[in-house]
Amino acid sequence: MAHSDLRLNKGRILSIRDLPTLPSVLDEVVALVEDPTTSTEQIAKIIAYDQVLSAKVLKMVNSPIYGFPGRIGSIHHALVLLGFNVIRGIVISTSVLEIMAQSMTRLWTHSVRCALAAGCIARRAGLKDPDEYSVAGLLHDLGKLVIALQLPDLQAAIDDKVAQDDTYPLLAEKEMLGFGHDRVNAWLAKHWNLPPSLEEGLSHHHKPHLARNYPKFASVVHLADFIVHVLDGGSEGKDLVPYLEPEALDILGLTTQDFGLIIEDFFAKHSLVPSFSL
């Protein structure tokens, strides 16, 4: 891959012409959160003012992912239970993943299952605010969606290479584009000013030990991705499962026995996921 081609592909990725912009309400909410005198009621009112967005947020928070099925009736209630960081992640999710739900259903199902698995892992590891890790699991393959939308010609070449060479999609992306969807995740995180913890979770989920500041986020997403790939036999319909980085367990202070219990917990819950859609 020539450097000029890499720069060209990056430019095409970052034009984001086919993805919706993040709702303007999100900027208003972020500004309010930075003011320590702001109440949750004020934040909730701004989100609720956008009726379509608030309906999608409520549908998401009442899904099996967050453990409150059918129990959250208002944005304010959601904020109290889940916190602003989770709600912000859900707003982003409902804004950009709707395209995935409509056109890339296999990837959407994989992403939702990863969100559920990430929550199971974070709880077993005793991490604070486990639902924030679920958001990272939900968005971890956002780069794949963007590549498919922005570079459809090269996406077709990636798919052909995966099929013909029986190789991992990430390796095929790097060969055809000069970068993988994990790098795209990093660009998007900066483009949208996502929290640093979420940025590292998305951009280092294949190599969690390289995450400098938030390795636990990256490790949770890495393990969640591995578990779901094992269950699905590969989200691309192949029997390829990503390599499990053992450092991820060490970073989270988990044993192999813990990991087995996490898998059992997830297997008991995963059947709830396929019926959920935005």
Side-chain angles (χ1 to χ4, degrees):
M1 172 65 63
H3 290 296
S4 59
D5 290 339
L6 191 154
R7 288 195 295 269
L8 176 62
N9 290 337
K10 179 180 179 180
R12 291 173 65 188
I13 286 288
L14 292 181
S15 66
I16 317 291
R17 62 181 180 277
D18 293 324
L19 280 179
T21 57
L22 297 185
S24 58
V25 66
L26 193 58
D27 290 333
E28 296 180 51
V29 171
V30 170
L32 277 178
V33 169
E34 292 176 351
D35 181 351
T37 66
T38 301
S39 66
T40 54
E41 289 88 346
Q42 289 173 286
I43 297 172
K45 283 180 180 178
I46 289 181
I47 298 175
Y49 185 76
D50 186 330
Q51 295 181 351
V52 174
L53 177 62
S54 61
K56 291 179 179 179
V57 169
L58 286 175
K59 186 171 184 178
M60 181 74 82
V61 298
N62 281 292
S63 76
I65 298 173
Y66 298 102
F68 302 102
R71 291 164 53 190
I72 301 179
S74 68
I75 298 297
H76 179 255
H77 191 192
L79 280 165
V80 171
L81 287 176
L82 298 174
F84 170 69
N85 282 338
V86 172
I87 297 303
R88 174 167 61 173
I90 290 173
V91 169
I92 294 169
S93 303
T94 58
S95 301
V96 300
L97 293 186
E98 190 167 15
I99 295 175
M100 187 186 292
Q102 293 170 349
S103 61
M104 304 175 73
T105 54
R106 185 184 294 274
L107 187 59
W108 163 247
T109 300
H110 173 78
S111 298
V112 175
R113 286 179 173 177
C114 275
L116 184 61
C120 293
I121 295 164
R123 289 180 179 87
R124 171 62 61 174
L127 299 176
K128 182 181 178 182
D129 300 322
D131 293 311
E132 292 187 27
Y133 294 83
S134 295
V135 170
L138 188 64
L139 292 172
H140 80 287
D141 271 344
L142 181 58
K144 289 186 177 182
L145 171 65
V146 174
I147 290 170
L149 291 175
Q150 299 295 92
L151 306 172
D153 50 333
L154 292 176
Q155 181 63 59
I158 291 168
D159 294 340
D160 288 342
K161 186 165 188 60
V162 168
Q164 293 172 9
D165 296 352
D166 200 35
T167 189
Y168 294 103
L170 181 65
L171 297 179
E173 290 167 0
K174 289 182 177 180
E175 182 168 338
M176 301 307 298
L177 304 176
F179 50 81
H181 65 273
D182 50 351
R183 180 84 66 86
V184 177
N185 286 343
W187 295 336
L188 290 173
K190 287 183 171 59
H191 184 72
W192 284 332
N193 295 315
L194 299 186
S197 57
L198 190 54
E199 178 185 342
E200 283 208 355
L202 301 185
S203 61
H204 288 83
H205 69 277
H206 285 295
K207 295 290 183 181
H209 56 288
L210 298 181
R212 294 182 178 181
N213 300 310
Y214 298 92
K216 290 184 178 180
F217 266 83
S219 296
V220 166
V221 179
H222 176 77
L223 294 176
D225 190 40
F226 176 83
I227 289 172
V228 177
H229 271 290
V230 169
L231 176 67
D232 293 346
S235 66
E236 287 77 19
K238 300 173 66 65
D239 291 326
L240 293 173
V241 175
Y243 177 72
L244 176 64
E245 296 283 355
E247 293 94 336
L249 290 171
D250 296 336
I251 289 169
L252 295 172
L254 296 172
T255 65
T256 53
Q257 183 178 8
D258 290 326
F259 194 45
L261 293 173
I262 289 167
I263 293 174
E264 288 180 11
D265 185 25
F266 173 71
F267 275 24
K269 295 176 179 177
H270 86 274
S271 60
L272 299 173
V273 172
S275 61
F276 172 69
S277 61
L278 285 174

